[in-house]
Amino acid sequence: MNPVHDKPVLLVALGGNALIKKGQEGTIAEQFENLRVPIEQIARLSLEYRIIITHGNGPQVGNLLLQQECCDAVPKLPLEILVAQTEGQIGYMIESTLDKALMALGVDERPLVSLITYVVVDKNDPAFKTPTKPIGPAFSREKARTLPYPTVETAKGFRRVAASPKPVTIVERREIQRLIDMDFIVICCGGGGIPVIREGRAFSGVDAVIDKDLASVRLALEVGVDIFMIATDVDGAVIHFGTDKARLLNRLTTAEAGHYLAQGHFPEGSMGPKVAAAAAFIQAGGRRAVITAVNRIEAAVTDLSVGTQVTA
């Protein structure tokens, strides 16, 4: 038996807060410092697990959109290109931070790789008819009327709204499988991946964003992950959030997840996709799914009392 194959596979889906915390400017120095918290834990876990890291890109792609709005000297880039840019940017930051953490542990030769990842979506997905995902900077009502794309009113002002179709499959799933079988640490599906549709035997990018957690669970199921973990800025899934009845759910069955989602306890754009993704992993036969804070990744792997453990 190959000793590498005896190591279980752990997928950690990092939220955008792993790089930029609330109240921060989001400087590169801040982002590298913030990354140390989850990445040093992942480095230690990599001694016992084969590792896949996925990540969000909300603040970073939002900054690129803001930069575009502030400059007319160069052509505007489509959303798929901006997602690809953030995949490279954040992949580099994770990989370099992880390399330092591994060297600190005395691990000098663990292979790492960051992949620009395509994610297939259905061109007939109803999300394309009713875009719902606010992205980028906020505008006044007057400015929004002049923009070449749809907008929606938010607490910050009018923002561009993009389609968020469901992921169908990860194009590079076979390559990712081979890499983890060789004990590479793989960084992929950044920002949910680059959304593409099939055109014959080829792929074509589309103007959309894919939820990072839903893309991550699609990948987890396609490559056979043992533990599916979503690391975010709270301790786990909380019902009655923001009220005096707020309660952290340490155990959450898939039936309870569906019930609480239907009741609106886990809104879209925050905890909703995380709970849906974790429940989908278990319903499809996955072994373990957990939602936890970025500073408790290591603890949540070994301690079932940490975070929200989603069960059948």
Side-chain angles (χ1 to χ4, degrees):
M1 177 69 70
N2 187 330
V4 170
H5 293 173
D6 290 340
K7 295 169 66 175
V9 181
L10 166 65
L11 187 153
V12 180
L14 296 175
N17 57 287
L19 283 86
I20 302 178
K21 296 180 180 179
K22 290 179 181 177
Q24 290 186 331
E25 292 182 23
T27 66
I28 292 299
E30 287 174 337
Q31 293 185 57
F32 270 116
E33 181 61 27
N34 293 337
L35 268 176
R36 288 180 52 212
V37 173
I39 295 304
E40 288 179 357
Q41 297 173 78
I42 291 172
R44 291 190 292 269
L45 287 166
S46 74
L47 303 178
E48 302 294 333
Y49 292 86
R50 288 177 282 164
I51 301 289
I52 299 171
I53 302 171
T54 64
H55 60 84
N57 71 340
Q60 293 80 14
V61 80
N63 288 343
L64 291 178
L65 286 164
L66 179 58
Q67 289 172 350
Q68 288 202 151
E69 294 299 332
C70 294
C71 178
D72 293 321
V74 295
K76 301 289 192 291
L77 298 175
L79 190 53
E80 67 193 84
I81 299 299
L82 299 182
V83 172
Q85 288 183 349
T86 59
E87 281 194 313
Q89 169 194 340
I90 300 171
Y92 155 71
M93 297 180 73
I94 292 174
E95 190 169 330
S96 59
T97 304
L98 182 55
D99 196 35
K100 290 178 183 177
L102 288 169
M103 286 191 290
L105 294 173
V107 179
D108 296 326
E109 297 184 1
R110 184 68 180 272
L112 317 173
V113 65
S114 301
L115 293 181
I116 301 298
T117 315
Y118 292 3
V119 178
V120 176
V121 298
D122 184 350
K123 65 181 179 181
N124 297 315
D125 191 303
F128 286 112
K129 293 183 179 179
T130 54
T132 59
K133 182 76 170 178
I135 58 172
F139 303 97
S140 67
R141 184 183 298 273
E142 293 72 24
K143 176 65 175 177
R145 291 195 183 105
T146 70
L147 297 174
Y149 42 74
T151 60
V152 63
E153 187 173 11
T154 71
K156 297 179 180 180
F158 285 82
R159 298 178 68 195
R160 177 179 179 177
V161 64
S164 187
K166 290 182 172 59
V168 175
T169 187
I170 311 302
V171 174
E172 293 82 5
R173 62 193 181 279
R174 297 180 186 87
E175 290 83 354
I176 293 168
Q177 179 74 70
R178 293 185 187 124
L179 288 165
I180 61 172
D181 284 347
M182 293 186 291
D183 211 19
F184 274 75
I185 297 176
V186 181
I187 303 156
C188 58
C189 288
I194 301 169
V196 297
I197 58 173
R198 294 187 186 276
E199 292 188 341
R201 296 182 62 184
F203 297 103
S204 176
V206 292
D207 201 50
V209 291
I210 302 172
D211 182 86
K212 172 265 302 178
D213 297 309
L214 298 182
S216 297
V217 74
R218 185 73 257 147
L219 174 64
L221 292 169
E222 290 186 335
V223 302
V225 162
D226 296 288
I227 303 176
F228 176 62
M229 177 179 292
I230 298 173
T232 184
D233 58 351
V234 293
D235 289 332
V238 175
I239 57 172
H240 303 294
F241 184 78
T243 74
D244 56 4
K245 296 193 295 182
R247 178 166 64 91
L248 173 68
L249 301 172
N250 175 242
R251 290 285 191 280
L252 181 64
T253 67
T254 56
E256 290 169 336
H259 175 71
Y260 288 133
L261 283 164
Q263 287 191 328
H265 284 281
F266 309 128
E268 289 295 326
S270 59
M271 189 55 68
K274 295 172 176 54
V275 170
F281 182 71
I282 297 300
Q283 287 171 330
R287 289 176 53 190
R288 278 191 65 196
V290 58
I291 302 167
T292 192
V294 290
N295 63 342
R296 306 208 73 190
I297 291 171
E298 202 170 6
V301 170
T302 57
D303 187 346
L304 297 180
S305 69
V306 174
T308 297
Q309 306 279 340
V310 182
T311 61

